[in-house]
Amino acid sequence: MTRRPSRRRAGRTARPALALLGLLVTLFVVVPAGPASAHAYLDHSTPADGASADTAPPDLQLQFSESVVVDATRIEITDTDGRRFAAGPVHVLVEGAGRSGPITLAAALPSLPRNAYRVSWETLSSDDLHRTSGVLVFGVGQHVAAGGLHESLPRPDEASLRWLVFLALALSLGGAACERLFRRHLRATALDAAARCRRVSRVGAASGAGLAAVLLLDQLASGHWAGRRLLVGAYGQHWLLREVGLALLVLAAGNRLAPRLRTTLLLLGGAAACTGSALLGHAATGTGLVALHVLADAAHLGAAATWAGGVLVLGLVAVPMLRRGFAPAETARVALRSFAVPAAACISVMVVTGVYLASGVVGSVDALLLTFYGRTLLLKVLVAALAGGLGLLTATRLRRGPGGPAPRRTVLVEGIAVAGVLLLAAVLTSAQPATEPQLTRTSGPATVRVVDGQAADLQETLAIRPNRPGRNVVLLGVFDTRRPAPAPIAAVIITVQAIGGVQQSSLTAEQLADHQWSVPVALTAAGTTTVHVSVRRAGLPDAGSTFDWTVGAAPTHLRARLLSQAPLRRILTIGAGGLALLVLYGWLLARYWRRLRSARREPLEEQHVEVPEYADAMAP
């Protein structure tokens, strides 16, 4: 007789879908529609690192990959003799679209004599309140070597507080997961262990909320409170979302709640806490699908916290039970065996999302091997693999039955390993991603194109060479389409709109040959600009035309290649998609194999049940 699925089982089946739906709703309500990034780095500067000029530049321009706090920006200038020069007030020269777009800051420079100069700068990212600093070198009348890559190492206090927040979140989610494992068994020892898991979950969520507040105060204090106004903006909303999630997790661990209400609070709290943490970290470094990046980061954090927290809680609750006689030890063994499937599911999500997220925080193979962030990421992968191997060893020992050795030491060592994984994750969240242009060879020289247009009876062609920030030459070709020409060209006036929106002085071009004109121009930064051309002829009105032009980025001083500086974003993104399909196929194959084994066992069980219960009573 076929057994119909009960409403309770149907509710269990729908819970993962409801959890995913709640996470998606929370995500798309909170996440902005435009591109975002995290932990600003210097994209390029004017003067560039390693540049030399005959005369001192009038100002220093720093273009960052994302918005920074202007009040928290500090600039120090020293020469080779140790003398310090004060720069003018820092102000915004160019601000990108949206709160997270690239930004260019400028500061007036004093009259600098002939010498080599070292510029040390420090600022605060608007998205995550991370400190970012760097060094660049330029010369006035002297040739200098570039300062090169300068990483901003994470502050120990910030990394430690982030680790404690992650650890508290892991205990909360892991405690809730272990409580369900123990409640599957109606033994008194199992119910007592489930109660202890719930207490651990409640303490973890409450501690996480308090530690998150301490972390916020530490970040603001380290930035001299210059970023406190960000609390009323998107940063404050993301922080509040994580606090609300942790508060819901505290409520979900209450003792007097209906099971459905507890499950709902647990799903919503976990989704909000993980999404808020993702928005406060490196969820969407660079441009692209921000919602997808944040969703992947939230899923990665949720899976890692549940796995790590489950191991820690089992080490606190189940391992002591292995020493208390047969009944508690058997309950602990059953719980440890039952944790194998959720742990494998969490690790699967961690691997797929981890590869995808690496596409936004690691620029190249050299960036992975030469930077602090890349080496820490490799260490995290190794420690996570060690923890996974220990978990596999524990599952293998538990399959030997009650007579096998108790895996107490293995579980304890695995708990230390997962705590190390959370610590390295906190360090990575506090550190600067390995996406600096100096370690990634993205393209060759800027393309110098030619644009054309028509003004009255004149056909014009425009080109700017070398099309980089700094000194350039505008080349203009002017051809009269009427024969004979109504009047000779008396003058050509060219006006280039500055990248910052300030119009430059009109420049009179010099005639090179028939129909060819040129004029030198200084371009302040890379980006889109406009060029206005006005042609004057005797007895005729001026013929004006406007051209749109894109200035290429300044050449990057790349480090010597170690293995490869080719970008990894596309490779890792495609690899994550292929890995997701492979993992899904593996889970489907495992499910099919489990059903096949169950089908083979059913005939044997039916043959055993066919023996009458009164057979022993009829025996002579």
Side-chain angles (χ1 to χ4, degrees), residues 190-244:
L191 296 179
D192 179 66
R196 279 181 284 167
C197 291
R198 183 185 298 180
R199 287 195 295 270
V200 172
S201 178
R202 182 167 56 248
V203 172
S207 302
L211 290 168
V214 176
L215 173 61
L216 178 63
L217 295 176
D218 179 77
Q219 289 179 312
L220 292 176
S222 66
H224 307 289
W225 301 93
R228 59 186 181 275
R229 61 182 178 83
L230 300 176
L231 296 180
V232 298
Y235 185 87
Q237 296 173 6
H238 299 162
W239 181 85
L240 184 61
L241 176 63
R242 181 170 63 182
E243 290 293 286
V244 170

Short mmCIF file of all heavy atoms in Angstrom, two decimals, residues 190-244:
data_model
loop_
_atom_site.label_atom_id
_atom_site.label_comp_id
_atom_site.label_asym_id
_atom_site.label_seq_id
_atom_site.Cartn_x
_atom_site.Cartn_y
_atom_site.Cartn_z
N ALA A 190 18.83 12.36 24.50
CA ALA A 190 18.79 13.17 23.29
C ALA A 190 18.06 14.48 23.53
O ALA A 190 18.48 15.55 23.06
CB ALA A 190 18.12 12.40 22.16
N LEU A 191 16.95 14.45 24.28
CA LEU A 191 16.22 15.68 24.57
C LEU A 191 17.04 16.61 25.45
O LEU A 191 17.00 17.84 25.27
CB LEU A 191 14.89 15.33 25.25
CG LEU A 191 13.90 14.52 24.40
CD1 LEU A 191 12.65 14.21 25.20
CD2 LEU A 191 13.57 15.25 23.11
N ASP A 192 17.80 16.07 26.38
CA ASP A 192 18.66 16.90 27.21
C ASP A 192 19.76 17.54 26.37
O ASP A 192 20.09 18.73 26.54
CB ASP A 192 19.26 16.04 28.32
CG ASP A 192 20.18 16.86 29.21
OD1 ASP A 192 19.69 17.77 29.90
OD2 ASP A 192 21.41 16.58 29.20
N ALA A 193 20.34 16.80 25.45
CA ALA A 193 21.37 17.35 24.57
C ALA A 193 20.78 18.42 23.65
O ALA A 193 21.43 19.44 23.37
CB ALA A 193 22.00 16.24 23.74
N ALA A 194 19.55 18.22 23.17
CA ALA A 194 18.90 19.23 22.32
C ALA A 194 18.69 20.53 23.09
O ALA A 194 18.87 21.62 22.53
CB ALA A 194 17.58 18.68 21.81
N ALA A 195 18.33 20.44 24.36
CA ALA A 195 18.15 21.65 25.16
C ALA A 195 19.47 22.40 25.31
O ALA A 195 19.53 23.63 25.27
CB ALA A 195 17.57 21.28 26.53
N ARG A 196 20.56 21.67 25.51
CA ARG A 196 21.87 22.32 25.62
C ARG A 196 22.27 22.99 24.31
O ARG A 196 22.86 24.07 24.30
CB ARG A 196 22.92 21.30 26.05
CG ARG A 196 22.93 21.03 27.54
CD ARG A 196 24.00 20.04 27.91
NE ARG A 196 23.61 18.68 27.55
CZ ARG A 196 24.43 17.64 27.52
NH1 ARG A 196 25.71 17.81 27.80
NH2 ARG A 196 24.00 16.44 27.20
N CYS A 197 21.97 22.34 23.18
CA CYS A 197 22.26 22.95 21.88
C CYS A 197 21.48 24.25 21.69
O CYS A 197 22.00 25.23 21.14
CB CYS A 197 21.92 21.97 20.75
SG CYS A 197 23.00 20.52 20.66
N ARG A 198 20.24 24.26 22.16
CA ARG A 198 19.44 25.47 22.03
C ARG A 198 20.03 26.59 22.89
O ARG A 198 20.05 27.76 22.46
CB ARG A 198 18.00 25.20 22.45
CG ARG A 198 17.10 26.43 22.26
CD ARG A 198 15.70 26.18 22.80
NE ARG A 198 15.05 25.09 22.09
CZ ARG A 198 13.81 24.67 22.36
NH1 ARG A 198 13.12 25.23 23.34
NH2 ARG A 198 13.28 23.67 21.67
N ARG A 199 20.50 26.27 24.07
CA ARG A 199 21.12 27.30 24.91
C ARG A 199 22.37 27.86 24.25
O ARG A 199 22.62 29.07 24.29
CB ARG A 199 21.44 26.73 26.29
CG ARG A 199 20.22 26.50 27.17
CD ARG A 199 20.63 26.28 28.62
NE ARG A 199 21.40 25.06 28.80
CZ ARG A 199 20.87 23.86 29.06
NH1 ARG A 199 19.56 23.74 29.18
NH2 ARG A 199 21.63 22.80 29.22
N VAL A 200 23.17 26.99 23.65
CA VAL A 200 24.36 27.46 22.94
C VAL A 200 23.98 28.38 21.79
O VAL A 200 24.61 29.42 21.55
CB VAL A 200 25.19 26.27 22.44
CG1 VAL A 200 26.33 26.74 21.53
CG2 VAL A 200 25.76 25.47 23.60
N SER A 201 22.92 28.02 21.06
CA SER A 201 22.46 28.84 19.95
C SER A 201 22.01 30.22 20.43
O SER A 201 22.32 31.24 19.80
CB SER A 201 21.31 28.13 19.23
OG SER A 201 20.81 28.93 18.17
N ARG A 202 21.29 30.26 21.55
CA ARG A 202 20.80 31.55 22.08
C ARG A 202 21.96 32.42 22.55
O ARG A 202 22.01 33.63 22.25
CB ARG A 202 19.82 31.29 23.22
CG ARG A 202 19.21 32.55 23.80
CD ARG A 202 18.02 32.26 24.69
NE ARG A 202 18.35 31.34 25.77
CZ ARG A 202 17.89 30.09 25.86
NH1 ARG A 202 17.08 29.60 24.93
NH2 ARG A 202 18.22 29.32 26.90
N VAL A 203 22.90 31.84 23.27
CA VAL A 203 24.06 32.60 23.74
C VAL A 203 24.90 33.11 22.56
O VAL A 203 25.40 34.24 22.56
CB VAL A 203 24.91 31.74 24.69
CG1 VAL A 203 26.22 32.44 25.04
CG2 VAL A 203 24.13 31.44 25.96
N GLY A 204 25.06 32.26 21.53
CA GLY A 204 25.84 32.68 20.36
C GLY A 204 25.22 33.86 19.64
O GLY A 204 25.91 34.83 19.29
N ALA A 205 23.90 33.83 19.42
CA ALA A 205 23.24 34.94 18.72
C ALA A 205 23.30 36.23 19.54
O ALA A 205 23.57 37.31 18.99
CB ALA A 205 21.79 34.56 18.41
N ALA A 206 23.05 36.13 20.85
CA ALA A 206 23.11 37.33 21.70
C ALA A 206 24.52 37.91 21.75
O ALA A 206 24.72 39.13 21.68
CB ALA A 206 22.61 36.99 23.10
N SER A 207 25.52 37.03 21.85
CA SER A 207 26.91 37.51 21.87
C SER A 207 27.29 38.15 20.54
O SER A 207 28.00 39.16 20.51
CB SER A 207 27.85 36.34 22.18
OG SER A 207 27.53 35.74 23.42
N GLY A 208 26.81 37.57 19.43
CA GLY A 208 27.11 38.14 18.13
C GLY A 208 26.57 39.55 17.97
O GLY A 208 27.23 40.43 17.40
N ALA A 209 25.35 39.80 18.47
CA ALA A 209 24.78 41.14 18.38
C ALA A 209 25.61 42.15 19.17
O ALA A 209 25.88 43.27 18.70
CB ALA A 209 23.34 41.13 18.87
N GLY A 210 26.05 41.77 20.37
CA GLY A 210 26.87 42.68 21.15
C GLY A 210 28.25 42.90 20.55
O GLY A 210 28.76 44.03 20.52
N LEU A 211 28.87 41.84 20.04
CA LEU A 211 30.19 41.97 19.44
C LEU A 211 30.15 42.79 18.16
O LEU A 211 31.10 43.51 17.84
CB LEU A 211 30.75 40.57 19.15
CG LEU A 211 31.15 39.75 20.38
CD1 LEU A 211 31.41 38.30 19.99
CD2 LEU A 211 32.38 40.36 21.05
N ALA A 212 29.05 42.70 17.40
CA ALA A 212 28.92 43.51 16.18
C ALA A 212 28.89 45.00 16.52
O ALA A 212 29.44 45.83 15.79
CB ALA A 212 27.67 43.10 15.42
N ALA A 213 28.25 45.36 17.63
CA ALA A 213 28.24 46.75 18.06
C ALA A 213 29.64 47.21 18.47
O ALA A 213 30.06 48.33 18.15
CB ALA A 213 27.25 46.92 19.21
N VAL A 214 30.37 46.35 19.19
CA VAL A 214 31.74 46.69 19.57
C VAL A 214 32.63 46.86 18.33
O VAL A 214 33.47 47.77 18.26
CB VAL A 214 32.31 45.61 20.50
CG1 VAL A 214 33.77 45.89 20.83
CG2 VAL A 214 31.49 45.52 21.78
N LEU A 215 32.43 45.98 17.33
CA LEU A 215 33.20 46.10 16.09
C LEU A 215 32.93 47.42 15.38
O LEU A 215 33.85 48.07 14.87
CB LEU A 215 32.86 44.92 15.17
CG LEU A 215 33.44 44.96 13.76
CD1 LEU A 215 34.96 44.97 13.79
CD2 LEU A 215 32.93 43.77 12.94
N LEU A 216 31.66 47.85 15.37
CA LEU A 216 31.33 49.11 14.74
C LEU A 216 32.02 50.28 15.44
O LEU A 216 32.57 51.18 14.79
CB LEU A 216 29.81 49.30 14.75
CG LEU A 216 29.30 50.61 14.17
CD1 LEU A 216 29.64 50.72 12.69
CD2 LEU A 216 27.79 50.75 14.37
N LEU A 217 31.99 50.28 16.75
CA LEU A 217 32.66 51.35 17.50
C LEU A 217 34.17 51.34 17.24
O LEU A 217 34.79 52.40 17.12
CB LEU A 217 32.38 51.19 18.99
CG LEU A 217 30.92 51.38 19.43
CD1 LEU A 217 30.78 51.10 20.93
CD2 LEU A 217 30.44 52.78 19.10
N ASP A 218 34.76 50.17 17.12
CA ASP A 218 36.20 50.07 16.84
C ASP A 218 36.52 50.63 15.46
O ASP A 218 37.52 51.33 15.29
CB ASP A 218 36.63 48.61 16.95
CG ASP A 218 38.11 48.42 16.65
OD1 ASP A 218 38.94 48.74 17.51
OD2 ASP A 218 38.43 47.97 15.52
N GLN A 219 35.67 50.34 14.47
CA GLN A 219 35.91 50.86 13.12
C GLN A 219 35.79 52.38 13.09
O GLN A 219 36.60 53.06 12.44
CB GLN A 219 34.92 50.23 12.15
CG GLN A 219 35.18 48.77 11.86
CD GLN A 219 34.16 48.19 10.90
OE1 GLN A 219 32.96 48.37 11.08
NE2 GLN A 219 34.63 47.50 9.89
N LEU A 220 34.78 52.91 13.77
CA LEU A 220 34.61 54.36 13.77
C LEU A 220 35.76 55.04 14.50
O LEU A 220 36.24 56.09 14.08
CB LEU A 220 33.28 54.72 14.43
CG LEU A 220 32.02 54.30 13.66
CD1 LEU A 220 30.78 54.63 14.46
CD2 LEU A 220 31.97 54.98 12.30
N ALA A 221 36.21 54.44 15.62
CA ALA A 221 37.31 55.04 16.38
C ALA A 221 38.60 55.03 15.57
O ALA A 221 39.38 55.98 15.61
CB ALA A 221 37.49 54.31 17.70
N SER A 222 38.85 53.96 14.81
CA SER A 222 40.08 53.89 14.02
C SER A 222 40.07 54.91 12.89
O SER A 222 41.13 55.32 12.41
CB SER A 222 40.25 52.48 13.44
OG SER A 222 39.22 52.20 12.51
N GLY A 223 38.90 55.31 12.43
CA GLY A 223 38.80 56.32 11.37
C GLY A 223 38.63 57.72 11.91
O GLY A 223 38.19 58.61 11.18
N HIS A 224 38.97 57.93 13.21
CA HIS A 224 38.84 59.23 13.85
C HIS A 224 37.41 59.74 13.76
O HIS A 224 37.17 60.94 13.67
CB HIS A 224 39.81 60.25 13.24
CG HIS A 224 41.23 59.78 13.22
ND1 HIS A 224 41.99 59.66 14.36
CD2 HIS A 224 42.02 59.35 12.19
CE1 HIS A 224 43.20 59.22 14.04
NE2 HIS A 224 43.24 59.02 12.75
N TRP A 225 36.44 58.82 13.75
CA TRP A 225 35.01 59.11 13.71
C TRP A 225 34.61 59.90 12.47
O TRP A 225 33.56 60.53 12.43
CB TRP A 225 34.59 59.88 14.97
CG TRP A 225 34.87 59.13 16.20
CD1 TRP A 225 35.98 59.21 16.98
CD2 TRP A 225 34.04 58.12 16.82
NE1 TRP A 225 35.92 58.33 18.04
CE2 TRP A 225 34.72 57.65 17.97
CE3 TRP A 225 32.78 57.59 16.50
CZ2 TRP A 225 34.20 56.68 18.79
CZ3 TRP A 225 32.26 56.62 17.34
CH2 TRP A 225 32.97 56.18 18.46
N ALA A 226 35.46 59.87 11.44
CA ALA A 226 35.12 60.61 10.22
C ALA A 226 33.99 59.93 9.45
O ALA A 226 33.33 60.57 8.65
CB ALA A 226 36.36 60.73 9.32
N GLY A 227 33.78 58.62 9.68
CA GLY A 227 32.75 57.92 8.93
C GLY A 227 31.44 57.76 9.67
O GLY A 227 30.58 56.97 9.26
N ARG A 228 31.25 58.49 10.77
CA ARG A 228 30.02 58.30 11.56
C ARG A 228 28.78 58.73 10.79
O ARG A 228 27.68 58.22 11.05
CB ARG A 228 30.12 59.07 12.87
CG ARG A 228 30.33 60.57 12.72
CD ARG A 228 30.57 61.24 14.08
NE ARG A 228 30.75 62.67 13.97
CZ ARG A 228 31.91 63.26 13.70
NH1 ARG A 228 32.98 62.51 13.51
NH2 ARG A 228 31.99 64.56 13.60
N ARG A 229 28.90 59.66 9.84
CA ARG A 229 27.74 60.06 9.06
C ARG A 229 27.26 58.95 8.14
O ARG A 229 26.14 59.01 7.64
CB ARG A 229 28.08 61.30 8.24
CG ARG A 229 29.22 61.09 7.23
CD ARG A 229 29.54 62.38 6.49
NE ARG A 229 30.65 62.20 5.58
CZ ARG A 229 30.54 61.72 4.36
NH1 ARG A 229 29.35 61.36 3.90
NH2 ARG A 229 31.59 61.60 3.57
N LEU A 230 28.11 57.93 7.91
CA LEU A 230 27.70 56.81 7.06
C LEU A 230 26.66 55.94 7.73
O LEU A 230 26.00 55.13 7.07
CB LEU A 230 28.92 55.96 6.69
CG LEU A 230 30.04 56.67 5.93
CD1 LEU A 230 31.21 55.72 5.73
CD2 LEU A 230 29.55 57.18 4.60
N LEU A 231 26.50 56.08 9.05
CA LEU A 231 25.55 55.23 9.76
C LEU A 231 24.11 55.53 9.35
O LEU A 231 23.24 54.67 9.49
CB LEU A 231 25.71 55.42 11.27
CG LEU A 231 27.06 54.99 11.85
CD1 LEU A 231 27.08 55.24 13.35
CD2 LEU A 231 27.33 53.53 11.55
N VAL A 232 23.85 56.72 8.85
CA VAL A 232 22.49 57.05 8.42
C VAL A 232 22.26 56.65 6.97
O VAL A 232 21.15 56.84 6.46
CB VAL A 232 22.22 58.55 8.61
CG1 VAL A 232 22.33 58.93 10.07
CG2 VAL A 232 23.18 59.39 7.77
N GLY A 233 23.26 56.11 6.31
CA GLY A 233 23.13 55.70 4.92
C GLY A 233 23.07 54.20 4.76
O GLY A 233 22.60 53.47 5.64
N ALA A 234 23.60 53.72 3.63
CA ALA A 234 23.53 52.30 3.31
C ALA A 234 24.32 51.45 4.29
O ALA A 234 23.90 50.35 4.64
CB ALA A 234 24.03 52.07 1.88
N TYR A 235 25.47 51.95 4.76
CA TYR A 235 26.27 51.16 5.69
C TYR A 235 25.49 50.89 6.97
O TYR A 235 25.48 49.77 7.49
CB TYR A 235 27.58 51.87 6.01
CG TYR A 235 28.51 51.04 6.87
CD1 TYR A 235 29.38 50.13 6.28
CD2 TYR A 235 28.50 51.15 8.25
CE1 TYR A 235 30.22 49.36 7.06
CE2 TYR A 235 29.34 50.39 9.04
CZ TYR A 235 30.20 49.49 8.44
OH TYR A 235 31.02 48.72 9.21
N GLY A 236 24.85 51.92 7.50
CA GLY A 236 24.06 51.74 8.70
C GLY A 236 22.90 50.78 8.49
O GLY A 236 22.55 49.99 9.38
N GLN A 237 22.28 50.80 7.31
CA GLN A 237 21.19 49.88 7.02
C GLN A 237 21.69 48.43 6.98
O GLN A 237 21.02 47.53 7.49
CB GLN A 237 20.55 50.25 5.68
CG GLN A 237 19.88 51.62 5.67
CD GLN A 237 19.41 52.02 4.29
OE1 GLN A 237 19.47 51.23 3.35
NE2 GLN A 237 18.95 53.26 4.16
N HIS A 238 22.84 48.22 6.37
CA HIS A 238 23.38 46.86 6.30
C HIS A 238 23.76 46.34 7.69
O HIS A 238 23.52 45.17 8.01
CB HIS A 238 24.60 46.83 5.38
CG HIS A 238 24.29 47.26 3.99
ND1 HIS A 238 25.26 47.67 3.10
CD2 HIS A 238 23.10 47.36 3.33
CE1 HIS A 238 24.70 48.00 1.96
NE2 HIS A 238 23.39 47.82 2.08
N TRP A 239 24.35 47.21 8.50
CA TRP A 239 24.70 46.81 9.86
C TRP A 239 23.45 46.49 10.67
O TRP A 239 23.40 45.52 11.42
CB TRP A 239 25.51 47.92 10.53
CG TRP A 239 25.93 47.60 11.92
CD1 TRP A 239 27.04 46.91 12.32
CD2 TRP A 239 25.24 47.95 13.13
NE1 TRP A 239 27.08 46.80 13.69
CE2 TRP A 239 25.99 47.43 14.21
CE3 TRP A 239 24.06 48.66 13.40
CZ2 TRP A 239 25.59 47.61 15.53
CZ3 TRP A 239 23.67 48.83 14.71
CH2 TRP A 239 24.43 48.30 15.76
N LEU A 240 22.41 47.32 10.50
CA LEU A 240 21.16 47.09 11.23
C LEU A 240 20.49 45.80 10.76
O LEU A 240 19.89 45.08 11.57
CB LEU A 240 20.22 48.28 11.02
CG LEU A 240 18.90 48.25 11.79
CD1 LEU A 240 19.17 48.21 13.29
CD2 LEU A 240 18.03 49.45 11.42
N LEU A 241 20.62 45.47 9.48
CA LEU A 241 20.05 44.22 8.98
C LEU A 241 20.69 43.02 9.67
O LEU A 241 20.00 42.06 10.06
CB LEU A 241 20.25 44.13 7.47
CG LEU A 241 19.80 42.83 6.80
CD1 LEU A 241 18.29 42.63 6.95
CD2 LEU A 241 20.19 42.82 5.32
N ARG A 242 22.00 43.04 9.85
CA ARG A 242 22.67 41.95 10.55
C ARG A 242 22.24 41.89 12.02
O ARG A 242 22.01 40.80 12.56
CB ARG A 242 24.19 42.11 10.47
CG ARG A 242 24.94 40.98 11.17
CD ARG A 242 26.41 41.02 10.88
NE ARG A 242 27.05 42.23 11.38
CZ ARG A 242 28.34 42.51 11.22
NH1 ARG A 242 29.11 41.67 10.54
NH2 ARG A 242 28.86 43.64 11.68
N GLU A 243 22.07 43.04 12.67
CA GLU A 243 21.63 43.05 14.05
C GLU A 243 20.22 42.50 14.19
O GLU A 243 19.92 41.75 15.13
CB GLU A 243 21.69 44.48 14.60
CG GLU A 243 23.10 45.02 14.80
CD GLU A 243 23.83 44.28 15.89
OE1 GLU A 243 23.55 44.49 17.08
OE2 GLU A 243 24.71 43.46 15.53
N VAL A 244 19.34 42.85 13.26
CA VAL A 244 17.98 42.32 13.30
C VAL A 244 18.00 40.80 13.10
O VAL A 244 17.26 40.06 13.77
CB VAL A 244 17.11 43.00 12.22
CG1 VAL A 244 15.76 42.30 12.08
CG2 VAL A 244 16.90 44.47 12.56
#
